[in-house]
C-alpha cells in the first residue's frame, strides 16, 4: 500500500457537531509565527491528499490546512442531502473553521470544492481574508443550463447522479488501482484530471485519494429519476453528483454578499471537466455523437461553464468585489499538480496581498 501522507504533513481528527473530519496540517515554523492560515478544500472523487505538495511548498509563516469532506479521505462517511445543493459540505466546512477557531482564513477550493467555498460564504459568512477558486464548478452547477444559467428543462434532465459511468463507479468501489481499462480511476485521472501525458512521482497517492470516495446513493454518485426529456434521466435528491445539479445548486448569489473577499480564479486552459465543451456534460457528448439521440443545440446545448463563471465574477466586481482570472495554458483540470511553481506563486501572491491574517 502506498504511504499517502508526505513527510512534514500531519493528519488530525477534528470532531464538530456536524461530523468528524480528517484535517491535514503543515504547521507554520515556530520561529516565524503564523502570518496567514490557508484552508484547502478538495474536489469530487479526491481528498485532501492532493494538496500536500502545495502545502509543503508554502512559505514558513503560513499555516496550511486541508480538510476531507464527508465521505472522502479520512473523514466520517455520512449521507449527503443534495436538495441543499453543496450545503451539507458547506456547513461541514464552516463547522471545521469554527472548531479550529480560525479567523481571516484564506480559502482555496478546487473543482467541486470551489462551489463548497462559495456556498459556505453565502450561508455561513465565515471570517475569510481571501478566496482562491481552482477550476471551480460553474456557479449554476454542472449541466442542463443555458448561458444565462437558466434550466434547459424543468427537471434538469441529463444532470446529476444518473450521469456517472457505472463502470467507473464499480471500479472505485472495487479499489481498482490499474490502468487496464478506460474507466479505471487511474485512467480517468491520467486522461481527465491532468493533460494526457502528464505524470508525477505522486500518481499512486492520487489514485489512493480517489479510492477513498464513499460509494452509494447517499454519497457518490447519488440517485436519479426517470425523465421524459433527453437523455432520459433527471437528478435525484441524494448523493454527491446531485448536489451540483442546477435544480439544487446556484451560488450566483455571491454577487450580493455584503462582505466580498477578493477572489483569484485559477483555471487550466485544457480542462475537459469544467469547460465550455466539457466531456462530462452529456449535452456535449450528445453533440459529439457519443450518446445517441441528441435533440440538437436548440434543445440541449452544451453548458458554457467558463462563460457562466466569468459572467458571475464580472457582476461580483461590478457590485464592489474584486477578482482576477489566471489562465494556466499548460494545465488541464489540475493546475496545482501540472504547473506547481506558477500555482504556488499565484496563490502566495494572492494570500500575502491581503495583509496579516489571524491563526
Amino acid at each position: 500500500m502506498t504511504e499517502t501522507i508526505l513527510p512534514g504533513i500531519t493528519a488530525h481528527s477534528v470532531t464538530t457537531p456536524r461530523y468528524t473530519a480528517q484535517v491535514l496540517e503543515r504547521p507554520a515554523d515556530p520561529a516565524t509565527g503564523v502570518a496567514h492560515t490557508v484552508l484547502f478544500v478538495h474536489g469530487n472523487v479526491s481528498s485532501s491528499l492532493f494538496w500536500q505538495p502545495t502545502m509543503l511548498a508554502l512559505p514558513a509563516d503560513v499555516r496550511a490546512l486541508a480538510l476531507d469532506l464527508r465521505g472522502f479521505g479520512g473523514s466520517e462517511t455520512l449521507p449527503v442531502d443534495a436538495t441543499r445543493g453543496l450545503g451539507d459540505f458547506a456547513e461541514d466546512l464552516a463547522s471545521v473553521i469554527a472548531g479550529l477557531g480560525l479567523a481571516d482564513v484564506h480559502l482555496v477550493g478546487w473543482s467541486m470544492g470551489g462551489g463548497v467555498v462559495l456556498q459556505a460564504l453565502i450561508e455561513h459568512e465565515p471570517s475569510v481574508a481571501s478566496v482562491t477558486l481552482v477550476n471551480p464548478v460553474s456557479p449554476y452547477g454542472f449541466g442542463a443550463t443555458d448561458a444565462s444559467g437558466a434550466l434547459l428543462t424543468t427537471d434538469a434532465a441529463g444532470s446529476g447522479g444518473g450521469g456517472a459511468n457505472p463502470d467507473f463507479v464499480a471500479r472505485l468501489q472495487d479499489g481498482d488501482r490499474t490502468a487496464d481499462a478506460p474507466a479505471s480511476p487511474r485512467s480517468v485521472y491520467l486522461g481527465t484530471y491532468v493533460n494526457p501525458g502528464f505524470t508525477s512521482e505522486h500518481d499512486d497517492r492520487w489514485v489512493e485519494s480517489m479510492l477513498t470516495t464513499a460509494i452509494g446513493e447517499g454519497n457518490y454518485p447519488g440517485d436519479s429519476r426517470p425523465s421524459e426529456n433527453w437523455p432520459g434521466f433527471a437528478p435525484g435528491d441524494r448523493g454527491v453528483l446531485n448536489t451540483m445539479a442546477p435544480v439544487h445548486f446556484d451560488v450566483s448569489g455571491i454577487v450580493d454578499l455584503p462582505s466580498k473577499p477578493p477572489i483569484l480564479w485559477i483555471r487550466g486552459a485544457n480542462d475537459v471537466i469544467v469547460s465550455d465543451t466539457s466531456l462530462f456534460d452529456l449535452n456535449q457528448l450528445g453533440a459529439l455523437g457519443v450518446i445517441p439521440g441528441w435533440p440538437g443545440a436548440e434543445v440541449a446545448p452544451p453548458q458554457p461553464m467558463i462563460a457562466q463563471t466569468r459572467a458571475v465574477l464580472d457582476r461580483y466586481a461590478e457590485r464592489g468585489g474584486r477578482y482576477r482570472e489566471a489562465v494556466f495554458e499548460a494545465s488541464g483540470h489540475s493546475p496545482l499538480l501540472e504547473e506547481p511553481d506558477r500555482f504556488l506563486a499565484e496563490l502566495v501572491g494572492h494570500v500575502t496581498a491581503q495583509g496579516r491574517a489571524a491563526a
Side-chain angles (χ1 to χ4, degrees):
M1 180 70 70
T2 299
E3 178 60 49
T4 56
I5 305 295
L6 291 171
I9 303 285
T10 56
H12 309 284
S13 288
V14 178
T15 299
T16 78
R18 292 281 303 166
Y19 79 135
T20 298
Q22 175 170 278
V23 177
L24 302 187
E25 179 169 3
R26 197 295 311 262
D29 187 332
T32 65
V34 179
H36 307 280
T37 298
V38 179
L39 177 56
F40 296 92
V41 185
H42 65 81
N44 193 15
V45 191
S46 66
S47 74
S48 60
L49 295 177
F50 275 89
W51 292 114
Q52 292 180 97
T54 302
M55 295 168 70
L56 290 169
L58 286 167
D61 62 357
V62 173
R63 182 188 186 192
L65 303 164
L67 87 163
D68 287 328
L69 299 169
R70 62 174 58 197
F72 295 96
S75 286
E76 184 178 6
T77 295
L78 294 170
V80 178
D81 178 1
T83 65
R84 303 183 64 200
L86 289 167
D88 269 347
F89 295 133
E91 192 169 349
D92 290 346
L93 169 60
S95 74
V96 169
I97 291 172
L100 292 174
L102 303 180
D104 295 323
V105 65
H106 299 267
L107 294 179
V108 183
W110 175 32
S111 194
M112 181 183 77
V116 173
V117 166
L118 295 182
Q119 190 156 347
L121 292 182
I122 293 170
E123 295 183 351
H124 304 288
E125 300 182 9
S127 175
V128 173
S130 77
V131 168
T132 300
L133 304 175
V134 185
N135 294 63
V137 62
S138 164
Y140 300 108
F142 203 98
T145 57
D146 66 14
S148 72
L151 293 175
L152 298 173
T153 62
T154 56
D155 61 357
S159 67
N165 182 326
D167 189 24
F168 175 61
V169 175
R171 289 174 183 275
L172 276 177
Q173 190 164 33
D174 292 344
D176 183 357
R177 293 172 172 81
T178 74
D180 295 344
S184 74
R186 187 180 297 271
S187 295
V188 170
Y189 160 72
L190 292 171
T192 64
Y193 282 41
V194 294
N195 274 327
F198 175 87
T199 61
S200 82
E201 62 180 310
H202 299 301
D203 287 352
D204 288 347
R205 286 186 174 88
W206 310 154
V207 173
E208 294 301 321
S209 174
M210 296 171 72
L211 293 175
T212 66
T213 304
I215 304 300
E217 287 193 343
N219 296 103
Y220 183 85
D223 61 347
S224 66
R225 54 174 56 96
S227 173
E228 295 180 354
N229 301 302
W230 188 87
F233 71 86
D237 294 334
R238 295 179 292 162
V240 176
L241 291 186
N242 294 314
T243 63
M244 293 173 281
V247 287
H248 301 314
F249 178 77
D250 181 343
V251 292
S252 61
I254 62 164
V255 302
D256 296 319
L257 286 173
S259 177
K260 295 181 172 67
I263 294 175
L264 171 62
W265 174 25
I266 294 175
R267 65 178 184 87
N270 308 302
D271 192 355
V272 298
I273 298 176
V274 177
S275 167
D276 288 349
T277 54
S278 169
L279 296 183
F280 288 70
D281 179 355
L282 269 67
N283 288 351
Q284 174 67 15
L285 294 179
L288 295 174
V290 176
I291 299 177
W294 181 59
E298 291 188 1
V299 176
Q303 180 190 7
M305 303 177 188
I306 303 303
Q308 289 175 337
T309 298
R310 187 176 294 113
V312 169
L313 291 178
D314 282 346
R315 293 202 300 276
Y316 186 83
E318 290 166 1
R319 301 186 187 185
R322 290 186 288 122
Y323 90 92
R324 184 169 64 85
E325 179 181 354
V327 181
F328 283 47
E329 297 292 344
S331 290
H333 192 60
S334 308
L336 62 156
L337 307 181
E338 298 170 89
E339 297 182 69
D341 292 342
R342 184 185 171 196
F343 183 84
L344 181 68
E346 293 279 5
L347 176 60
V348 170
H350 183 59
V351 166
T352 57
Q354 314 315 320
R356 185 175 178 87

